[in-house]
Amino acid sequence: MTSALHAAPFAHNLSAFADRPALITAAGTISYAELADRVGAMVRRLGARRRLVLLEGGNSVDAVVAYLGALAGNHPVLLVPPGGAGEALAAAYDPDVVIGPAGVDVRRAESAHDLHPDLALLLSTSGSTGSPKLVRLSHENLRANAESIAEYLGIRPDDRAATTLPMHYCYGLSVVNSHLLAGAALILTDLSVADAGFWELFRAARGTAFAGVPYTFDLLDRVGFAEMRLPHLRYVTQAGGRLAPERVARHAALGRRDGWRFFVMYGQTEATARMAYLPPELAESRPSAIGVPIPGGSFRIEAGTGELVYSGPNVMLGYAERPADLALGRTVEELRTGDLARLGDDGLYEIVGRRSRFVKILGLRIDPQQVEVLLDRHGVTAYCVGGTSGEDLVVAARGPVDPVLVRRLVTEGCGLPARAVRVHVLDELPRLPSGKPDHQAIRALAAPAAEPDPPRDLCRLFEDVLGTTGVTPDHSFVRLGGDSLSYVDMSLRLERVLGHLPPDWHTRPIRDLRPVERGRRSLETSVALRAVAIVLIVGTHATLFNVSGGAHLLLGMAGFNFGRFHLTTAGRTERLRHVAAGLGRVAVPSVAWIGAAIVLLGAYEWPSLLLLNSFLGPREGGTGWHFWFVEALVHILVVVTALLAVPAVDRLERRWPFGLPLGIMALGLVTRYDLFDLHPQHHLPSAVRIFWLFAIGWAAAKATTRWHRLVVTAAIAGTVPGYFGDPKREAVVVAGLVLLVWVASLPSTGAVNRIAAVLAGASLYIYLVHWQVYPRLDHHNALLAVVASLAAGIAYAALVTRVQRRLGRRGAAARRPSGGSGPSSPESRTTAGRTRWTWRPRRR
């Protein structure tokens, strides 16, 4: 019989490390001596009679104490996720003791179960949370695996590892076991690595290590981990799924640059946690390998099948599928991993496929994992599973990505017809609490919907407004490259079809846009303000009234729309493409109109044509100043685009989406207040003097909390007054921007909505055109001059929109592979002359 006291030293030998820190939390530090006292109290609380303990394994001091106390008292632990996720397991296994946030609930004095002496821990198998199937682990399993991990990682007593993974997940639990075994400290937190508070705690605790699954490294890329200064970091570990080889090499190189080691590891719950690791010095040259067996373990590759088989003291006792199985001893001697592997000449093992995930679809044997790998080579992050019908492959791809492209890549790669590939583009891929793919949730995506998909004419409506082709229900307005110029037209036409639109309709997939019963009409504040601002501009210039400030209000709103439509979760390249396209939609029609005015009327000089009058035009006099607003907007967009093209700035914006525009605004205040007295000696272009206002609008778009909105409001109230020396003009700008910050929509009517939408959608073109219209009429009738200017601008907007849509369709047609017939065409996979993937599934 195995002695628990001898087998699990990390649970019973805590006092040996005396006053060294054991658990570091935001609330303070607990030493090993204090932890030993708390664990001892838990041992006494649970008593000497052996019972089955169900523990909600959150990353908390109480959970760690309960886990260690149960092990030290030789009580088998059924570890489940916190928050009620273990209710199904509790019902299936009827634990004697339940420990959760509410405390210790002793259900019976003696166990209702026959518990094998070696049984120490019960964990859900990977991907089966909620299933009654459990992995049975012994004290020897826990001890051996913790010792092996501590040995190859070189864990030292002065190490401090953050709990970046949940404790109920075997990988997260192995971090706890191995570091406590070595007398190292745990930085105990349930914060995500995407949370700034995590890194504050990690730095304050002088963290030396953290662990991650592939999704963790997605988050690290988003928060700019490569640029972080972490002076005490010694090693980073990765397991829980395949990390793309190029990302392995990149993080290994990053670690080499910054002085920490990157360990890629391979394991399964059935092996307690780890079976193999890739020595860090080989990660850059052999990033596709899983490495070598952990100390005390060994591999063999089964002849014929190529399946990887593991042996070692950390191999589980066996599975449990019902309470009676808790009495079983060892039922397996080695672990058949289910992975197909090969052994390289350098002695490193490499996984090449997965036996259990093969699916047969329409006679073809498909490996979903290989489909994921090949999509990854094309820059698409996706999870794939066989559908419930057995006749389709379900692909969940992380957006933004074109589902038509994904479907075509899959059909070309594995020979399936397009009708058998169901692509779903999601903002975030379904994952289990451990961060692993949730294959059941992905498979459920293909289940028949309770409601029918949106009608095809809704997709055609998007194609018509945005001048593109191949729109599917998985697309959204933002993913299709929509911007502020097309937003108004799109929202107006959608409202006619669907009724009331939700505020975030532009980010929702088309399939989620459903007809709703019409209620009270409302008008989005940004649309109303654009319509009012352009009328104020034209009316003031035509002397119908005198209410200035409309152009500066439009500039602030341009920043608002920039943050809203362009700074999405898309990748950096996709973002830059959208910003550049939006820039072109402003600059090209402007240059075209100014060029026509020069040729036909001789109205302007060449600096105006190049939108450089504020740099090269005359200081005073002339008509070049007419287009100062367009020039300022174009110049600001060019500079902001250049900034976001820098990877570090892109990462900074993703990590601090509200803070970055505030910082840019603060920088702009240098020229707003002319702190260096530059303007009298040097002619500062409009964009230099006014870009702080664009940044305020940008920050308003990213203000997601009440405090954010208060900060933006304070910035508006503190910087706009005094700028013009005209309180009335300043009041217009302040009122408009504050309304934009605090009020999402205004009460309206259908007629008002239609008029506002037309004016707002044509605001840029009205601004361009009115300079050539109102001077010819205002001396006759100011109202007529205003109406004629608005009508001419609306007509120019219609012309530009028609041309842009036609060019957009031609461009989409040119990008479409020759011979392809759309997303449902099986012939598209046989098009000649296209690059094809090199592997083919075998027919059976």
Side-chain angles (χ1 to χ4, degrees):
M1 180 182 300
T2 301
S3 167
L5 191 64
H6 175 72
F10 59 82
H12 69 79
N13 198 31
L14 299 168
S15 59
F17 299 105
D19 294 328
R20 295 197 61 83
L23 306 179
I24 302 172
T25 72
T29 300
I30 297 174
S31 69
Y32 270 93
E34 293 172 305
L35 180 59
D37 289 344
R38 295 194 188 192
V39 169
M42 179 58 67
V43 171
R44 293 188 292 275
R45 176 75 176 85
L46 293 176
R49 294 177 179 176
R50 201 160 181 254
R51 290 176 290 185
L52 178 62
V53 176
L54 183 145
L55 170 63
E56 292 191 22
N59 291 345
S60 67
V61 173
D62 289 343
V64 172
V65 168
Y67 166 68
L68 296 173
L71 289 183
N74 201 20
H75 302 281
V77 178
L78 171 53
L79 203 54
V80 301
E87 290 180 358
L89 288 172
Y93 282 90
D94 187 23
D96 305 308
V97 180
V98 175
I99 304 178
V104 179
D105 176 18
V106 178
R107 295 184 170 182
R108 55 183 70 92
E110 295 188 5
S111 182
H113 307 287
D114 184 4
L115 303 172
H116 192 276
D118 289 345
L119 182 63
L121 184 64
L122 295 160
L123 293 176
S124 293
T125 60
S126 297
S128 66
T129 302
S131 164
K133 185 176 182 180
L134 299 171
V135 171
R136 296 183 291 114
L137 299 174
S138 68
H139 291 278
E140 174 64 13
N141 291 153
L142 299 177
R143 180 199 62 79
N145 209 233
E147 288 181 352
S148 294
I149 293 170
E151 178 182 339
Y152 72 73
L153 290 182
I155 300 176
R156 307 186 307 217
D158 59 351
D159 277 322
R160 299 179 174 197
T163 56
T164 46
L165 301 168
M167 195 176 81
H168 63 80
Y169 171 40
C170 71
Y171 184 12
L173 189 64
S174 72
V175 174
V176 173
N177 295 346
S178 57
H179 284 80
L180 291 180
L181 178 75
L186 295 170
I187 305 172
L188 206 58
T189 177
D190 58 3
L191 293 174
S192 164
V193 296
D195 192 319
F198 171 87
W199 296 108
E200 292 173 5
L201 176 62
F202 191 80
R203 290 188 184 93
R206 304 176 71 179
T208 64
F210 66 85
V213 296
Y215 180 54
T216 308
F217 292 88
D218 291 344
L219 296 177
L220 291 175
D221 289 342
R222 296 183 195 178
V223 301
F225 172 70
E227 308 303 323
M228 289 185 185
R229 186 175 180 274
L230 303 169
H232 303 289
L233 184 61
R234 281 209 319 119
Y235 55 91
V236 175
T237 65
Q238 184 274 317
R242 179 183 182 274
L243 190 66
E246 60 271 18
R247 300 184 71 191
V248 170
R250 175 158 57 87
H251 281 89
L254 180 63
R256 180 169 49 79
R257 183 195 76 181
D258 293 344
W260 48 268
R261 308 179 81 198
F262 186 52
F263 287 85
V264 175
M265 307 186 301
Y266 168 76
Q268 293 179 1
T269 309
E270 289 84 346
T272 309
R274 305 275 70 80
M275 290 183 283
Y277 73 98
L278 180 62
E281 60 272 15
L282 302 178
E284 288 185 76
S285 59
R286 288 285 273 120
S288 60
I290 61 169
V292 297
I294 64 172
S298 63
F299 285 126
R300 67 178 178 85
I301 297 177
E302 188 169 64
T305 65
E307 183 177 7
L308 188 66
V309 181
Y310 175 79
S311 298
N314 53 314
V315 173
M316 66 175 177
L317 298 174
Y319 290 113
E321 298 188 53
R322 53 190 178 277
D325 294 340
L326 303 183
L328 297 175
R330 178 168 293 281
T331 58
V332 297
E333 297 296 333
E334 58 181 9
L335 178 60
R336 305 181 69 85
T337 66
D339 290 322
L340 307 180
R342 61 171 173 244
L343 178 63
D345 295 337
D346 54 4
L348 300 180
Y349 287 86
E350 184 174 352
I351 302 299
V352 297
R354 177 80 180 159
R355 289 190 67 191
S356 61
R357 286 193 62 196
F358 276 103
V359 294
K360 185 175 285 188
I361 301 172
L362 302 179
L364 295 176
R365 190 167 180 262
I366 305 295
D367 182 354
Q369 184 176 6
Q370 288 301 315
V371 177
E372 294 170 1
V373 169
L374 293 168
L375 284 174
D376 184 68
R377 291 176 185 169
H378 287 76
V380 178
T381 302
Y383 296 150
C384 306
V385 297
T388 54
S389 68
E391 297 182 355
D392 55 8
L393 181 70
V394 184
V395 180
R398 190 177 71 199
V401 68
D402 186 347
V404 177
L405 170 64
V406 175
R407 184 182 288 107
R408 191 178 74 239
L409 291 173
V410 174
T411 58
E412 290 177 355
C414 60
L416 288 172
R419 64 180 174 81
V421 180
R422 306 191 65 174
V423 179
H424 300 268
V425 178
L426 308 172
D427 290 332
E428 293 294 342
L429 297 180
R431 293 180 174 89
L432 298 168
S434 64
K436 288 189 173 184
D438 187 341
H439 291 129
Q440 292 182 6
I442 297 167
R443 191 171 287 111
L445 293 173
E451 300 178 33
D453 281 344
R456 285 184 176 272
D457 58 0
L458 200 58
C459 294
R460 287 198 293 268
L461 178 60
F462 274 75
E463 292 179 344
D464 181 47
V465 172
L466 298 176
T468 187
T469 59
V471 175
T472 73
D474 294 310
H475 282 117
S476 69
F477 176 80
V478 169
R479 285 184 184 159
L480 289 167
D483 59 12
S484 60
L485 295 177
S486 52
Y487 174 83
V488 179
D489 186 23
M490 190 76 250
S491 61
L492 181 65
R493 296 174 67 172
L494 274 178
E495 192 174 44
R496 291 173 186 165
V497 175
L498 302 177
H500 178 72
L501 289 176
D504 62 343
W505 70 264
H506 56 290
T507 63
R508 292 191 184 190
I510 296 172
R511 69 170 64 257
D512 291 345
L513 300 178
R514 304 288 181 180
V516 296
E517 188 175 334
R518 293 186 184 272
R520 289 187 66 182
R521 290 281 190 170
S522 63
L523 177 61
E524 189 176 335
T525 302
S526 65
V527 176
L529 288 175
R530 283 170 65 184
V532 170
I534 194 61
V535 171
L536 292 182
I537 292 170
V538 177
T540 299
H541 290 167
T543 66
L544 180 63
F545 45 72
N546 183 20
V547 185
S548 301
H552 290 83
L553 178 57
L554 281 179
L555 189 65
M557 294 186 61
F560 179 82
N561 288 323
F562 173 79
R564 188 182 186 193
F565 295 116
H566 296 298
L567 299 184
T568 63
T569 57
R572 182 165 58 90
T573 301
E574 187 72 9
R575 270 186 174 186
L576 293 175
R577 186 177 68 80
H578 284 172
V579 175
L583 179 59
R585 284 191 285 270
V586 173
V588 173
S590 300
V591 169
W593 181 263
I594 297 169
I598 291 175
V599 172
L600 300 177
L601 305 175
Y604 305 103
E605 301 295 331
W606 65 268
S608 294
L609 178 65
L610 300 178
L611 300 180
L612 293 174
N613 184 75
S614 60
F615 287 92
L616 305 176
R619 289 271 193 111
E620 298 178 1
T623 56
W625 66 270
H626 284 179
F627 302 106
W628 75 265
F629 167 76
V630 176
E631 287 193 12
L633 178 57
V634 168
H635 299 164
I636 291 171
L637 288 175
V638 167
V639 172
V640 172
T641 303
L643 279 174
L644 292 175
V646 179
V649 177
D650 180 78
R651 290 191 293 269
L652 184 64
E653 191 283 327
R654 294 174 191 274
R655 185 178 181 191
W656 303 106
F658 180 68
L660 180 63
L662 284 184
I664 292 175
M665 182 206 70
L667 182 64
L669 295 181
V670 172
T671 53
R672 183 265 180 254
Y673 291 105
D674 198 13
L675 297 181
F676 298 110
D677 199 27
L678 296 174
H679 193 51
Q681 292 81 25
H682 306 280
H683 176 62
L684 297 181
S686 300
V688 176
R689 289 183 281 119
I690 203 65
F691 76 89
W692 57 274
L693 199 55
F694 178 92
I696 283 180
W698 175 359
K702 297 299 181 180
T704 57
T705 68
R706 180 181 178 85
W707 284 108
H708 285 173
R709 290 191 288 273
L710 286 171
V711 169
V712 176
T713 303
I716 295 167
T719 59
V720 175
Y723 181 73
F724 304 107
D726 180 355
K728 182 179 176 182
R729 187 178 187 181
E730 291 158 358
V732 168
V733 178
V734 169
L737 291 179
V738 170
L739 193 66
L740 184 68
V741 171
W742 290 99
V743 181
S745 61
L746 302 166
S748 183
T749 65
V752 171
N753 281 5
R754 288 190 289 273
I755 294 171
V758 172
L759 290 173
S763 56
L764 170 68
Y765 310 101
I766 294 172
Y767 183 88
L768 291 169
V769 168
H770 87 285
W771 296 109
Q772 274 64 60
V773 178
Y774 83 82
R776 290 161 173 77
L777 297 171
D778 61 344
H779 59 285
H780 295 297
N781 186 300
L783 178 59
L784 176 62
V786 171
V787 172
S789 296
L790 297 178
I794 292 169
Y796 185 48
L799 174 63
V800 171
T801 301
R802 174 173 291 187
V803 172
Q804 287 177 340
R805 289 175 181 172
R806 182 171 296 178
L807 292 176
R809 292 191 187 98
R810 287 181 179 177
R815 289 189 298 270
R816 191 185 305 137
S818 59
S821 55
S824 62
S825 169
E827 289 77 24
S828 63
R829 61 187 170 87
T830 61
T831 302
R834 290 211 297 268
T835 302
R836 304 182 68 84
W837 295 345
T838 55
W839 71 285
R840 276 303 208 189
R842 293 177 291 173
R843 289 190 178 271
R844 294 282 183 181

